[in-house]
Every structure is written in structure tokens, then in C-alpha cells.
Amino acid sequence: MRTETLIQALVEDGRAKEASLPLRFAVAILIGFAVSTALFLATLGPRPDAAAALRTPRYPLKIFEALLLASTAASLAMQLSRPGAETRRARLAMLAAPALLVATLVAELLVVSPGDWTTRLVGSNSRVCLTAIPLLSLPLLAAVLYALGAGAPTRPGLAGAVAGLLASGLAAALYAIHCPDDSPLFVAAWYSIAIAGVSLVGAAAGRYLLRW
């Protein structure tokens, strides 16, 4: 085979892999989310008053915040899987979910009596939150890391951490459907701790699984 033909074949193969990466990524997320959803329904399920809670602002808002985190993390993860890809916009978009959470937290502090802050912060389900979100994240994290392995992330630790944010964001959205604690104080404390833990696991796994 001539050198020029070999080079052209390698280029075309690289383009084919890059074109198939978004599909692989989407399929992996769908499979991981299906497994996590099945696990959620088998163990926790929606809270009994979910229909009524949807008519209040706090319950749907915490679900939306988790989905916003997951969607922005998905965009950044895709960019990190491509060497040399521009990530500035995706990194800036990652600020949206924390900014929304801070805004809701400030609003909560303004409308709730200081005497009730501790009660809302502690809530009634913190241990379940710290257990459920990481466990529901595991199928999703495994699926996302598998999909990223088809790419070529030059920063495997960072890619793994973002995969953890994506996985735990979707897991947090599932858990939020069950969680009886709707206060932004509770969400900012316990959801954030659980999500950060999954992100650290993702970073450690990414350094090992995604390195070249």
C-alpha cells in the first residue's frame, strides 16, 4: 500500500470514529439512565405526593437544577473527548446550574425565618440522599466512561470528573423525584456533597480508564 493511501485511510477512519462518537455517547447515556431508572423504581420510587408537589416551586426546581447540571456536563464531556476541541463555552455553561442553585438559596434565606434555616438544612432524608445519589450514579458513570473511551481525551482526569458530574446530575434528578426535602438549603448541602463525591470517583476512574 502506498504511503499516501495509508495516510488517507487513517484520516478517514479517524473521521468515521469522530462522527460516530455522539451517537455512541447518546446511546451509552440512554442505557445507563434506563438501568438507573429501573434501580430507582425498584428501591425508592416517586414520593407519594409527587403530583401535588409539582404544583409548588421548590420540587420541580430541584429536578430542573439537576438536569441542567447533567446537560451542561454532557456538552463539556463531549468536547473533552476530542483532542484540541474548544471547551471554553462548554466550561462557562457549567456555571449555569451552580448559579441557579445559589440564586434559589439566596431567595430561600430571604423568605424563610432564620430560626427555620437549620431545620431545612438538616431535613429528614440526608443519609438516604448521600447513599442514593452515588448508587444511582454507578450505571450512568460506567456507561459514560465507556463512551468516552471511544474518544481521545487528553485530560483523562478532568474528563472522568465531568463524567461524574453528568452521571450524578441525572441520578440526582431521579432521587429528587423521591426526596421529601425540597428546600434549596438541603439541596445545596446534601445533593452537592453526593455529587462532588461521584465526581471525585469519576476523576480517579478517568485517570486510569481514559488514559492513552
Side-chain angles (χ1 to χ4, degrees), residues 166-205:
L166 166 54
S168 56
L170 290 174
L174 282 173
Y175 173 70
I177 298 172
H178 166 83
C179 181
D181 297 298
D182 298 335
S183 171
L185 286 165
F186 183 91
V187 174
W190 305 109
Y191 282 54
S192 296
I193 292 173
I195 288 170
V198 176
S199 183
L200 289 174
V201 171

Side-chain angles (χ1 to χ4, degrees), residues 78-162:
M78 276 297 304
Q79 297 303 315
L80 289 171
S81 70
R82 299 186 175 106
E86 172 57 50
T87 63
R88 183 173 179 274
R89 290 184 180 179
R91 285 187 283 113
L92 288 175
M94 285 291 300
L95 298 175
L100 179 59
L101 179 58
V102 169
T104 60
L105 181 61
V106 171
E108 181 85 342
L109 294 175
L110 291 175
V111 301
V112 174
S113 169
D116 293 331
W117 289 356
T118 300
T119 301
R120 293 184 178 234
L121 173 65
V122 174
S124 61
N125 235 31
S126 58
R127 290 184 180 180
V128 179
C129 176
L130 293 177
T131 303
I133 292 177
L135 289 178
L136 293 173
S137 297
L138 291 179
L140 283 156
L141 180 58
V144 174
L145 289 174
Y146 173 77
L148 289 176
T154 56
R155 290 173 285 180
L158 177 59
V162 175

Side-chain angles (χ1 to χ4, degrees), residues 7 21 36 49 51 65 68-69 77 79 87 96 107 121 137 157 164 203:
I7 293 174
L21 186 58
S36 294
D49 65 338
E65 288 169 345
L68 179 61
L69 173 65
Q79 297 303 315
T87 63
L121 173 65
S137 297

Side-chain angles (χ1 to χ4, degrees), residues 40 44-55 59 125 176-180:
F40 166 74
L44 296 172
R47 55 194 264 187
D49 65 338
L54 281 172
R55 295 192 289 270
Y59 180 66
N125 235 31
I177 298 172
H178 166 83
C179 181

